[in-house]
């Protein structure tokens, strides 16, 4: 357990905390503050120069234009869908890897899950573009069953994002499952619990923070993505695209739009922090 | 706990104030907008920072055979740093950083750069090769102001209508195919992903709905813009995807995800080279198009090298090389004799002014109507951008 | 816990299917790197070694790789220092706002890259530019380090939770100075966690594109930026594919080493 504060330890604490917090505040929070402040500025519509007159027009427009609401909701549901898909895939996979597969298999399996992280985000997205196309691999594989590929669109975006972030979900869940002491499972069995009961009452509570931790990645990375959408989204546009399209033209508006994912994610983080997810990241 | 939080907030506020002051200081120059064109050139500064479209400033690093940067560096001693921009908007924002000396801006960016004072007028006397530029490209509304050139024309092309001959059986000769008739190719229509694409709809409406009174696709009053947006929203239902880069467009047409939509000549050529059954036409209404201009930054730190680059990039041989690599019509009439494919200029209609008379080059829409109307307010690019977000929904 | 045979088989099948889906696109990349078709058409129209030859001679790719390595190493180094310090503060001390620290650290990675990117861009422009520091490798490193800190923090933190503080206390009781304790007791116990964290941080930096786009200056081209630019360029897509294929093949090595070195922590933690 952490030591109680003494004068010496307080000095050490300051020395430990100062560099990372200074960095974070100066480089990051300061930047965010600059950005969010500029949301209250205006843009000369012709020259795209920022005009530093304080106003709330951007937020007014953001809240009153229906299309922004539609886009925000669409983005939110895609991020949620990606998170659910990843959790549903990661739980059985991580369980198998951590508790079922033989000891000798665990490491190779983990390597197999981690390797794609190095393969390059854009390249993977483009590979999926080829797979999901009209004459792509997916279509060809489904054709014998009389099915049709999803084509480019929101479904494709969910598939590809879930694919891209899957390792980020598997890793924490795997770590949590591996840490689970065998004794606990045995105790549960000794108390007469069946497999399902043990799963529900012992395993699930133990992996819940890990799933939430993974969801921080799947949810927030999906919420801000705009490149994958460009590649496989067909005509779909998400918050990230709208921000990206405004950035160069109207930075104050882009800043106001950025406030939406920032607020959503800060709320989300605050919620999962209560569940202890940030400790099991 | 509460107290600590308060102090954290206070220090955050202090930092914000500090940053704000810094921001305020940075913007204090209200000197003559646009800067001046030099009267004569000095020695090169040994360096030039360029913003270019992909393929405009090749240094052989992508293909050893495609290199006109190293010969330039060798000849002038100016080291070239290139930043490739993906869109016109990106070019504008990069130019605003003041870190770049020159940019290959398209017509939907040039006016904005001139108005904001980010681009300086160019003394064409200091660019000897300017002489040989096609006259039709000089003193255009998108590259000059008050009779002064704000750059050196680089090359041009039209936004054509491309279709797959196996899926679109009756050869279209009108933009009607992607607007009023778009539903026929439900889910397989494609369009350029930029607010400037609104002009394509306006161009079609010029003839399809003369009652709207559109004279110039870049000069739309609110009512005309609304009509164009309504048309685009209808088209949206049939759109499979919007494209913004070559690769996307080529794979989409090759795979059959897109069967009809706008394209550039070079994309049509590449797609054909991939053995996809496609054809590109200039519809009877004419088309929108782009004409790129090399502009010099008003804050250029290396103006001498920038001018040397301007002259180099439109010199006959280099202009021909770029035009062939990128796939466009060169701006220097002597370039046509230098292309490795003897029919390059014919294919891209380089000297075919009749052809380009039907092309309405991208121009930034501004409040003041570009068609000369005095009694109406036109919609500006910011409104177009918002409208484009609406269209995509 | 008893897991029935059927359940085992079912789990095995799900995992196998999951891994298969993970690898199909990667195999496609490998396949397309020898596909004669320039635009990755399916099925391949033929096979060729042309793209591999072109890629191996691509100066642009080599330069970009070098830039990415530099940026990744520098960002990782900064992240290692800052992340370890923060982890020690949070896991070995009790103070107000302890949990806020981990909350703040996770923000840069949780907020969308485009938000972080334009925020950093705006700040650099208003603060660094006036004092003569332009955009370049330096600004990229600052951006990357910011979101890499949390990775190291998590890895080191997880390890610290397992090492009993009594170990360090014992060392102190035996007369070791804090530095000596760190050098001979804590650091050896931390080494593999640092390595795993550093490796993941490096991987993250190596593949980052959005923040990089907004923080890179003229001529600063990391590998993902190079890939992005070249995917949009005529004639270049197949060469990009080869570079990606090479990355996939090469990636097995660092991941495997990481797994070996951190056998007890389930490898890298996010």
């Amino acid at each position: 357990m952490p030591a109680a504060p003494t004068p010496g330890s307080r000095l050490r604490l300051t020395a430990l905390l100062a560099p990372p917090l200074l960095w974070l505040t100066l480089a990051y929070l300061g930047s965010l503050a600059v950005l969010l402040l500029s949301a209250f500025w205006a843009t000369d519509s012709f020259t795209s120069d920022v005009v530093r007159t304080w106003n709330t027009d951007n937020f007014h427009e953001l809240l009153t234009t229906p299309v922004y609401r539609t886009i925000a909701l669409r983005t939110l549901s895609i991020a949620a869908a990606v998170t659910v898909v990843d959790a549903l895939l990661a739980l059985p996979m991580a369980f198998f890897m951590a508790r079922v597969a033989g000891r000798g298999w665990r490491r190779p399996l983990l390597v197999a899950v981690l390797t794609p992280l190095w393969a390059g985000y854009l390249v993977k997205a483009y590979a999926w573009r080829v797979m999901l196309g009209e004459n792509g691999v997916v279509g060809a594989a489904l054709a014998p069953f009389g099915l049709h590929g999803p084509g480019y669109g929101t479904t494709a975006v969910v598939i590809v994002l879930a694919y891209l972030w899957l390792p980020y979900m598997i890793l924490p869940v795997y770590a949590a499952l591996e840490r689970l002491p065998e004794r606990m499972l045995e105790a549960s069995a000794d108390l007469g619990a069946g497999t399902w009961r043990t799963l529900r009452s012992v395993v699930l509570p133990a992996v819940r923070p890990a799933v939430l931790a993974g969801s921080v990645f799947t949810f927030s990375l999906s919420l801000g993505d705009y490149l994958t959408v460009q590649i496989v989204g067909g005509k779909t546009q998400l918050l990230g695209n709208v921000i990206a399209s405004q950035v160069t033209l109207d930075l104050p508006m882009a800043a106001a739009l950025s406030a939406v994912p920032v607020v959503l994610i800060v709320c989300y983080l605050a919620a999962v922090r209560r569940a202890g997810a940030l400790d099991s990241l | 706990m509460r107290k600590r939080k308060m102090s954290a907030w206070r220090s955050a506020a202090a930092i914000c104030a500090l940053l704000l002051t810094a921001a305020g200081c940075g913007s204090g120059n209200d000197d003559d907008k646009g800067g001046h064109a030099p009267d004569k050139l000095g020695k090169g500064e040994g360096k030039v920072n360029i913003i270019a479209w992909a393929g405009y400033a090749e240094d052989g690093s992508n293909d050893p055979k495609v290199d006109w940067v190293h010969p330039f560096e060798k000849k002038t001693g100016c080291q070239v740093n290139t930043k490739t921009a993906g869109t016109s908007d990106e070019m504008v924002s990069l130019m605003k950083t003041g870190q770049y000396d020159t940019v290959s801006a398209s017509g939907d960016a040039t006016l904005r750069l001139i108005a904001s004072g980010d681009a300086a007028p160019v003394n064409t006397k200091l660019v000897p090769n300017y002489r040989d530029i096609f006259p039709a490209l000089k003193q255009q509304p998108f590259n000059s102001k008050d009779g002064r050139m704000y750059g050196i024309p680089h090359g041009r092309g039209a936004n054509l209508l491309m279709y797959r001959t196996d899926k679109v059986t009756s050869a279209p000769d009108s933009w009607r195919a992607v607007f009023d008739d778009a539903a026929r190719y439900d889910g397989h229509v494609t369009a350029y992903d930029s607010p400037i694409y609104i002009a394509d709809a306006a161009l079609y409406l010029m003839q399809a709905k003369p009652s709207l009174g559109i004279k110039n696709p870049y000069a739309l009053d609110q009512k005309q813009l609304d009509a164009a947006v309504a048309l685009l929203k209808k088209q949206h239902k049939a759109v499979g995807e919007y494209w913004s880069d070559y690769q996307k467009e080529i794979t989409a047409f090759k795979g059959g995800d897109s069967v009809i939509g706008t394209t550039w000549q070079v994309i049509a050529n590449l797609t054909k080279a991939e053995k996809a059954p496609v054809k590109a036409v200039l519809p009877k209404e004419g088309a929108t198009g782009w004409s790129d201009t090399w502009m010099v930054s008003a804050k250029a730190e290396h103006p001498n090298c920038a001018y040397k680059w301007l002259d180099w990039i439109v010199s006959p041989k280099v202009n021909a090389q770029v035009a062939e690599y990128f796939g466009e019509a060169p701006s220097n009439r002597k370039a046509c004799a230098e292309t490795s494919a003897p029919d390059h200029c014919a294919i891209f209609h380089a000297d075919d002014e009749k052809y380009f008379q039907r092309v309405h080059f991208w121009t930034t829409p501004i409040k003041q109507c570009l068609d000369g109307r005095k009694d109406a307010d036109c919609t500006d690019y910011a409104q177009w951008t918002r409208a484009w977000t609406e269209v995509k929904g | 816990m008893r897991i029935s045979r059927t359940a085992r088989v079912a789990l095995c099948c799900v995992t196998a299917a999951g891994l298969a889906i993970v690898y199909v696109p990667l195999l496609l990349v490998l396949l397309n790197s020898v596909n004669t078709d320039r635009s990755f058409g399916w099925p391949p129209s033929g096979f060729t070694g042309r793209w591999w030859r072109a890629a191996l001679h691509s100066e642009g790719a080599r330069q970009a790789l070098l830039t990415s390595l530099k940026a990744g190493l520098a960002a990782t180094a900064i992240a290692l220092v800052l992340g370890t310090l923060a982890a020690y503060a949070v896991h070995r001390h009790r103070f107000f706002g302890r949990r806020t620290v981990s909350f703040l650290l996770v923000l840069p990675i949780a907020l969308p890259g485009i938000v972080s990117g334009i925020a950093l861009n705006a700040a650099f422009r208003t603060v660094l530019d006036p004092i003569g520091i332009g955009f370049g490798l330096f600004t990229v490193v600052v951006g990357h380090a910011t979101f890499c800190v949390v990775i190291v923090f998590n890895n080191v933190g997880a390890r610290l939770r397992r090492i009993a503080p009594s170990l360090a206390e014992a060392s102190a009781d035996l007369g070791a100075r804090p530095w000596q304790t760190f050098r001979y007791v804590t650091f050896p116990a931390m080494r593999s966690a640092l390595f795993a964290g550093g490796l993941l941080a490096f991987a993250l930096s190596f593949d980052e594109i959005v923040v990089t786009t907004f923080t890179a200056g003229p001529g600063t081209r990391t590998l993902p930026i190079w890939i992005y630019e070249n995917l949009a360029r005529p004639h270049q897509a197949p060469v990009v594919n080869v570079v990606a294929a090479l990355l996939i093949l090469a990636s097995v090595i660092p991941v495997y080493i990481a797994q070996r070195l951190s056998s007890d922590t389930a490898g890298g933690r996010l």
Side-chain angles (χ1 to χ4, degrees):
Chain A
M1 263 295 102
T6 62
S9 78
R10 187 161 298 160
L11 192 71
R12 203 170 331 135
L13 176 64
T14 317
L16 286 174
L17 266 181
L21 284 190
L22 264 180
W23 178 283
L24 207 64
T25 322
L26 285 181
Y28 197 69
L29 297 181
S31 305
L32 274 184
V34 168
L35 181 71
L36 292 181
L37 276 173
S38 66
F40 293 97
W41 287 335
T43 302
D44 183 310
S45 59
F46 182 49
T47 60
S48 309
D49 280 337
V50 174
V51 183
R52 291 185 169 82
T53 43
W54 187 269
N55 69 84
T56 53
D57 292 359
N58 291 323
F59 286 102
H60 187 251
E61 192 188 327
L62 183 66
L63 295 174
T64 51
T65 316
V67 70
Y68 291 131
R69 211 164 13 218
T70 318
I71 295 170
L73 282 177
R74 181 187 301 135
T75 311
L76 207 57
S77 16
I78 284 183
V82 169
T83 304
V84 170
V85 169
D86 273 344
L88 289 179
L89 272 173
L91 281 170
M93 283 177 78
F95 190 83
F96 177 80
M97 287 161 61
R99 316 265 358 162
V100 180
R103 285 217 159 259
W105 275 96
R106 289 184 190 173
R107 193 169 299 156
L109 280 173
L110 206 59
V111 171
V113 167
L114 280 174
T115 308
L117 279 181
W118 290 79
Y121 159 97
L122 281 170
V123 174
K124 282 184 282 184
Y126 258 98
W128 272 99
R129 183 176 166 81
V130 177
M131 304 225 324
L132 291 168
E134 191 93 334
N135 298 317
V137 182
V138 174
L142 290 176
F145 307 100
L147 293 169
H148 209 265
Y152 304 136
T154 37
T155 320
V157 174
V158 172
I159 293 176
V160 176
L161 287 177
Y163 172 82
L164 287 171
W165 314 139
L166 183 64
Y168 291 92
M169 183 63 100
I170 293 184
L171 264 182
V173 177
Y174 173 87
L177 282 170
E178 207 205 22
R179 268 203 305 267
L180 207 63
E182 193 65 40
R183 295 190 305 270
M184 244 163 95
L185 303 179
E186 278 161 14
S188 169
D190 290 347
L191 291 170
T195 308
W196 286 114
R197 183 68 205 268
T198 307
L199 270 182
R200 213 175 55 218
S201 316
V202 181
V203 178
L204 266 187
V207 297
R208 211 171 72 107
V211 172
L212 286 174
S215 79
V216 169
F217 287 92
T218 57
F219 183 80
S220 55
L221 290 177
S222 310
L223 202 62
D225 185 88
Y226 72 101
L227 290 172
T228 299
V229 192
Q230 264 175 29
I231 297 169
V232 297
K235 54 182 173 176
T236 315
Q237 64 177 346
L238 300 184
L239 269 177
N241 303 83
V242 185
I243 297 175
S245 73
Q246 292 280 0
V247 151
T248 48
L249 280 173
D250 187 349
L251 184 68
M253 189 63 206
L257 283 164
S258 304
V260 179
V262 170
V263 168
L264 286 173
I265 283 172
V266 169
C267 292
Y268 189 74
L269 285 181
V272 297
R273 188 171 68 141
R274 278 169 193 279
L278 298 192
D279 295 331
S280 33
L281 271 176
Chain B
M1 180 78 196
R2 178 153 286 269
K3 203 169 166 196
R4 208 164 270 269
K5 247 187 191 160
M6 280 295 289
S7 73
W9 275 115
R10 205 170 303 153
S11 48
I15 288 162
C16 292
L18 202 80
L19 290 170
L20 265 183
T21 336
C25 291
S27 67
N29 55 333
D30 275 336
D31 53 349
D32 182 22
K33 273 208 161 182
H36 304 279
D39 296 325
K40 60 175 196 290
L41 289 184
K43 252 183 72 188
E45 296 87 350
K47 194 176 159 189
V48 60
N49 293 334
I50 293 176
I51 309 169
W53 291 112
Y56 271 20
E58 290 296 306
D59 59 1
S61 63
N62 299 302
D63 183 345
K65 289 188 288 285
V66 183
D67 181 2
W68 47 88
V69 165
H70 283 115
F72 170 75
E73 290 177 338
K74 222 159 136 192
K75 189 180 158 214
T76 62
C78 301
Q79 189 73 32
V80 175
N81 289 315
T82 312
K83 174 98 176 173
T84 310
T87 63
S88 290
D89 300 336
E90 199 183 334
M91 285 187 168
V92 172
S93 76
L94 285 171
M95 276 296 273
K96 285 190 183 304
T97 64
Q99 296 167 6
Y100 298 89
D101 301 304
T102 175
V103 60
S104 62
S106 295
D108 54 337
T110 45
L111 278 190
R112 278 187 271 162
L113 290 171
I114 296 172
S116 62
D118 290 309
V122 168
N123 184 350
T124 52
K125 288 201 195 76
L126 301 178
V127 184
N129 281 309
Y130 181 71
R131 221 187 23 238
D132 301 319
I133 303 283
F134 288 111
L137 286 169
K138 294 178 179 174
Q139 298 291 352
Q140 290 302 299
F142 51 80
N143 61 19
S144 66
K145 195 179 141 196
D146 306 332
R148 300 179 76 185
M149 281 301 283
Y150 272 75
I152 304 296
H154 168 95
R156 54 186 167 169
N159 297 318
L160 303 169
L161 176 65
M162 177 156 81
Y163 59 94
R164 272 186 69 122
T165 48
D166 55 341
K167 303 273 169 62
V168 179
T169 38
S170 56
D173 67 338
S174 159
W175 288 110
R176 190 183 174 80
V178 292
F179 289 115
D180 284 325
D181 293 345
R184 268 191 224 168
Y185 317 105
D186 196 18
H188 298 282
V189 175
T190 188
Y192 187 59
D193 190 1
S194 162
I196 206 72
Y197 183 70
I198 292 174
D200 283 55
L203 179 75
Y204 171 67
L205 288 174
M206 261 164 84
Q207 289 181 23
K209 252 197 197 162
S211 59
L212 283 165
I214 301 175
K215 295 275 177 304
N216 175 333
Y218 304 98
L220 306 179
D221 60 33
Q222 192 61 51
K223 204 179 99 227
Q224 294 164 338
L225 178 67
D226 290 344
V229 167
L231 183 65
L232 288 166
K233 278 189 176 162
K234 209 173 99 196
Q235 181 199 43
H236 178 79
K237 296 196 189 90
V239 167
E241 74 175 2
Y242 295 98
W243 66 274
S244 54
D245 67 61
Y246 286 74
Q247 194 58 28
K248 232 177 123 169
E249 172 91 328
I250 296 171
T251 52
F253 267 94
K254 181 147 196 261
D257 294 283
S258 297
V259 303
I260 192 162
T262 47
T263 192
W264 297 333
Q265 184 70 55
V266 59
I267 296 178
N269 295 354
L270 287 170
T271 316
K272 255 185 245 165
E274 292 282 297
K275 300 186 194 73
V278 295
K279 206 169 170 221
V281 292
L282 182 70
K284 61 180 185 207
E285 294 93 350
T288 58
W290 82 89
S291 174
D292 293 343
T293 307
W294 283 99
M295 306 181 97
V296 177
S297 167
K299 297 178 216 116
E301 280 172 49
H302 317 101
N304 295 326
C305 275
Y307 268 79
K308 285 182 203 287
W309 172 260
L310 257 50
D311 193 47
W312 173 260
I313 198 72
V314 297
S315 60
K317 211 170 179 141
V318 178
N319 198 223
Q321 269 180 294
V322 184
E324 279 199 288
Y325 182 68
F326 186 81
E328 64 187 343
S331 65
N332 189 321
R333 60 191 158 82
K334 287 190 179 157
C336 288
E338 301 283 346
T339 53
S340 61
D343 53 352
H344 180 84
C345 278
I347 294 171
F348 287 87
H349 305 273
D351 45 8
D352 186 351
E353 293 307 337
K354 268 224 176 74
Y355 176 89
F356 278 113
Q357 263 161 26
R358 295 165 62 200
V359 176
H360 302 255
F361 291 114
W362 283 347
T363 310
T364 318
I366 51 174
K367 266 219 159 49
Q368 211 177 359
C369 291
L370 292 162
D371 57 2
R373 274 184 289 172
K374 291 274 181 278
D375 55 340
D377 263 346
C378 276
T379 48
D380 63 17
Y381 196 64
Q383 281 164 292
W384 284 39
T385 312
R386 244 165 273 154
W388 186 241
T389 305
E390 289 270 353
V391 167
K392 292 208 290 172
Chain C
M1 185 167 62
R2 299 271 298 280
I3 301 164
S4 70
R5 207 179 151 69
T6 341
R8 277 168 189 274
V9 172
L11 281 168
C12 184
C13 289
V14 171
T15 309
L19 283 176
I21 294 174
V22 166
Y23 279 91
V24 167
L26 300 186
L27 287 176
L28 194 70
V29 171
L30 290 178
L31 187 68
N32 272 334
S33 72
V34 290
N35 187 347
T36 24
D37 195 310
R38 274 175 192 280
S39 53
F40 312 154
W42 182 263
S45 46
F47 298 101
T48 173
R50 245 177 89 194
W51 315 130
W52 280 81
R53 279 194 299 278
L56 295 178
H57 290 111
S58 168
E59 182 59 29
R62 219 170 337 179
Q63 286 298 334
L65 179 67
L66 203 66
T67 309
S68 266
L69 287 175
K70 277 192 225 159
L73 287 175
T76 307
I78 296 173
L80 278 174
V81 173
L82 297 180
T84 312
L85 290 177
Y88 261 88
V90 168
H91 289 280
R92 286 291 185 259
H93 295 267
R94 204 186 294 158
F95 58 95
F96 280 134
R98 238 176 95 220
R99 302 187 73 184
T100 313
V101 173
S102 54
F103 183 79
L104 285 180
L105 282 171
V106 82
L107 261 192
I109 207 167
L111 289 185
I114 181 149
V115 175
S116 308
I118 58 179
L120 288 168
N121 183 290
F124 288 161
R125 223 177 326 169
T126 44
V127 179
L128 290 186
D129 233 20
I131 57 171
I133 303 177
F135 286 78
L137 191 60
F138 172 73
T139 43
V140 172
V141 169
V142 171
H144 284 194
T146 307
F147 61 75
C148 285
V149 173
V150 68
I151 307 286
V152 177
F153 172 79
N154 285 330
N155 272 273
V156 173
R159 180 63 55 88
L160 279 175
R161 243 176 279 158
R162 282 165 194 224
I163 313 173
S166 52
L167 209 64
E169 279 158 24
S171 160
D173 290 346
L174 291 170
R177 293 163 184 282
W179 169 247
Q180 285 174 315
T181 305
F182 179 76
R183 172 79 178 75
Y184 295 107
V185 179
T186 324
F187 182 70
M190 305 288 309
R191 203 162 30 201
S192 61
L194 284 173
F195 189 82
L199 200 72
L200 257 176
F202 181 81
L204 211 63
S205 157
F206 198 70
D207 194 26
E208 214 287 333
I209 175 152
V210 180
V211 174
T212 319
T213 309
F214 289 99
T215 50
T220 318
R221 201 170 276 122
T222 63
L223 200 57
I225 300 250
W226 181 85
I227 289 176
Y228 191 55
E229 282 181 4
N230 280 281
L231 276 174
R233 198 186 293 253
H235 328 297
Q236 279 298 113
V239 178
V240 171
N241 224 27
V242 175
V243 173
L246 274 171
L247 283 183
I248 295 171
L249 295 177
S251 66
V252 184
I253 304 161
V255 177
Y256 185 75
I257 296 173
Q259 296 312 307
R260 287 224 73 130
L261 278 177
S262 52
S263 45
D264 62 329
T265 56
R269 297 167 48 84
L270 287 168

